[in-house]
Amino acid sequence: MRMESVRIDGDSLVLPGGVRVRFMRTLRLPETGTHALPPGLGQFPVRRVEDYPQTVPAEWRARGGVMLPVYLREAMWLGFGATEPAALQVGAGKVCAVSGRPWSSRLSRRPQNYVVLPRQPWLDGINSGKGTVRQFVAVPLGLGATVEGQVTGEEVWGGVQLQTFSLQEAPLAKWRDEERRRQERALRTRSASGPYGGPPPAPGAVPAPAAMAAPGGGPRRAAAMGLGVGGSMRQEVYKDDWPAGSWAEEPAGRVFVHLVTPPEWRRITGEAPPPSPVDRAAYTRAGLPWFDYYDQNGEDLAPTDALGEVKPVGDWLGDDHEPWQEPSPQQVKPLGDAPGKPVGDGDGDW
C-alpha cells in the first residue's frame, strides 16, 4: 500500500488531496447537559517524531507520525479544510470516532466510518448521534478511561489516527469542472454580492492566559495519552451524500498522532509546553463567544451502540470541580452554512 507524504505546515497537518487538519485547544465542557460549541484557544504545537530519535520511545519511532502535548483532562477539537472533496477517517486509539468500529484501511458506509470534507468543518468528539458529539478529552493510558479502553477492553495504541481517501478519477473530474464553472459565476457576480466565501469559519482562536510551564522529567519512557470523552455538545456528523463507489479503495495518506504530557514534551523536544488551559468560567464571565453551527442540508449520522456506551472520564478520575457558568444567549454566535518536511509513516503496519 503506497501512500503519499503527510507534512506539517506551521502547526497544521497537510495530508494528500489538500486535506488540512488543525488540533485546537478548547474549554472542557461539564459532563452533564448539552452545550454550544466551545471556542478555539489556539492550536496545539505539532512536531515530527523522527526529529527526536534520541528521546522518543522506540515504539513511537516504529509508528512514525507526529506528537503534540496535552494536559490531563484537556479538551481538543479537530478543524478541517480541503481544497478538493476527501473522506477522512479519525481514530481514537484505533477506534473509529464516527462508527465505533475497529480501525480499517477501507471505507465503510454501513456504518459510515469517516467524515466528508469540506462538508464537515470540524469534529469535537465521538459521534453520539441526534445532532450531538461527546467532547474529546485527554487521559493517560492504563486507567481504562479512553475510548479505546472502553470499546476494546485494551489500551495499546492511544493517540489519534488520521487517514484520507480521494475521489475516484471520474467523479473528481466532474467535481473540478463544476467547481470551475461555479467559481466563474461567482467572479461575475462578486462586485454585486461581495467576496466569494469558502467553507464556514472555525470558531475564532483567543490566547490562553500565561501560566508556569510544567517541570521537566528525567530520561524515562514517555507517558502515553489517549482520548476519553467529556461533555455533550450540539454538533452533527454528516452522512456521506456522494454516490456509492465515488471514493478510492486505497487511502492516499495516513498519520499517527502521539499525545504526550507537558513534562514529557519538555524532555523530548527541549521546548516549554503550552500554558495550562484557560478557566472556562472566567472565559464566559468575560463575555467571550461560544458557537452554534447548523447546516439545513446536512443529514446527521445515527449513533452506534459502541460509542453510545462510552462513559465520561469523570467516572474514572472523579468529579469535575472546575467552575461552570452557562453562557448567555447573546454569547452563542451562529455560524453559517504544504510545504515542510514529510512526516514519517514508520515501519509498522499500525
Side-chain angles (χ1 to χ4, degrees):
M1 179 169 57
R2 185 178 183 278
M3 300 190 195
E4 299 178 40
S5 297
V6 176
R7 297 177 182 271
I8 297 177
D9 182 12
D11 284 321
S12 298
L13 286 181
V14 180
L15 286 81
V19 171
R20 182 175 294 265
V21 180
R22 299 176 301 146
F23 298 89
M24 302 298 299
R25 308 184 77 195
T26 190
L27 302 177
R28 189 175 73 249
L29 298 174
E31 294 177 354
T32 58
T34 301
H35 306 275
L37 298 178
L41 300 175
Q43 292 182 229
F44 287 93
V46 178
R47 302 290 181 267
R48 300 193 314 163
V49 165
E50 62 200 277
D51 288 339
Y52 305 93
Q54 304 303 317
T55 50
V56 298
E59 63 266 30
W60 289 24
R61 294 197 300 271
R63 296 169 187 171
V66 299
M67 57 186 171
L68 60 85
V70 289
Y71 287 84
L72 175 65
R73 272 189 167 178
E74 184 170 10
M76 73 164 60
W77 54 268
L78 278 57
F80 305 133
T83 56
E84 295 184 336
L88 178 69
Q89 293 177 319
V90 180
K94 294 191 68 174
V95 172
C96 177
V98 176
S99 70
R101 298 289 179 87
W103 187 253
S104 172
S105 61
R106 293 288 188 272
L107 296 181
S108 168
R109 285 178 178 254
R110 297 181 182 176
Q112 184 175 314
N113 65 351
Y114 57 95
V115 295
V116 179
L117 307 185
R119 181 61 174 280
Q120 190 81 36
W122 46 72
L123 186 66
D124 287 59
I126 65 170
N127 174 33
S128 48
K130 299 180 180 179
T132 66
V133 300
R134 298 289 301 280
Q135 190 174 39
F136 290 134
V137 176
V139 288
L141 302 187
L143 300 177
T146 61
V147 174
E148 176 186 4
Q150 295 188 59
V151 172
T152 71
E154 298 181 308
E155 291 183 319
V156 177
W157 300 99
V160 177
Q161 297 75 41
L162 301 171
Q163 191 162 250
T164 185
F165 292 74
S166 302
L167 283 173
Q168 299 273 20
E169 289 186 9
L172 179 58
K174 180 180 179 181
W175 179 88
R176 286 172 174 170
D177 183 61
E178 293 174 348
E179 181 68 7
R180 176 184 55 79
R181 286 183 288 174
R182 186 185 64 78
Q183 292 188 8
E184 289 174 351
R185 291 194 300 269
L187 286 171
R188 288 195 294 269
T189 60
R190 178 173 295 180
S191 59
S193 61
Y196 165 69
V206 299
M212 292 184 63
R220 59 187 183 279
R221 180 175 177 177
M225 302 280 281
L227 291 179
V229 303
S232 177
M233 72 188 77
R234 292 182 289 275
Q235 182 179 96
E236 294 177 320
V237 180
Y238 295 117
K239 184 178 179 180
D240 183 9
D241 56 7
W242 284 89
S246 295
W247 302 108
E249 295 185 0
E250 299 286 338
R254 68 177 188 175
V255 62
F256 198 111
V257 183
H258 304 268
L259 306 181
V260 63
T261 64
E264 294 291 353
W265 174 264
R266 180 188 289 274
R267 184 185 68 82
I268 292 171
T269 67
E271 301 177 30
S276 298
V278 67
D279 177 89
R280 62 194 184 197
Y283 179 96
T284 302
R285 285 196 301 269
L288 297 171
W290 293 69
F291 299 90
D292 191 19
Y293 178 73
Y294 174 68
D295 184 343
Q296 63 179 356
N297 297 316
E299 183 177 351
D300 185 40
L301 288 177
T304 64
D305 291 340
L307 295 181
E309 296 174 357
V310 173
K311 301 184 186 311
V313 298
D315 284 16
W316 279 262
L317 302 179
D319 293 337
D320 181 2
H321 297 297
E322 185 176 341
W324 167 248
Q325 180 172 329
E326 189 76 26
S328 68
Q330 292 76 22
Q331 285 179 264
V332 180
K333 308 298 182 183
L335 297 173
D337 192 279
K341 297 179 181 178
V343 173
D345 187 34
D347 301 321
D349 185 19
W350 59 261

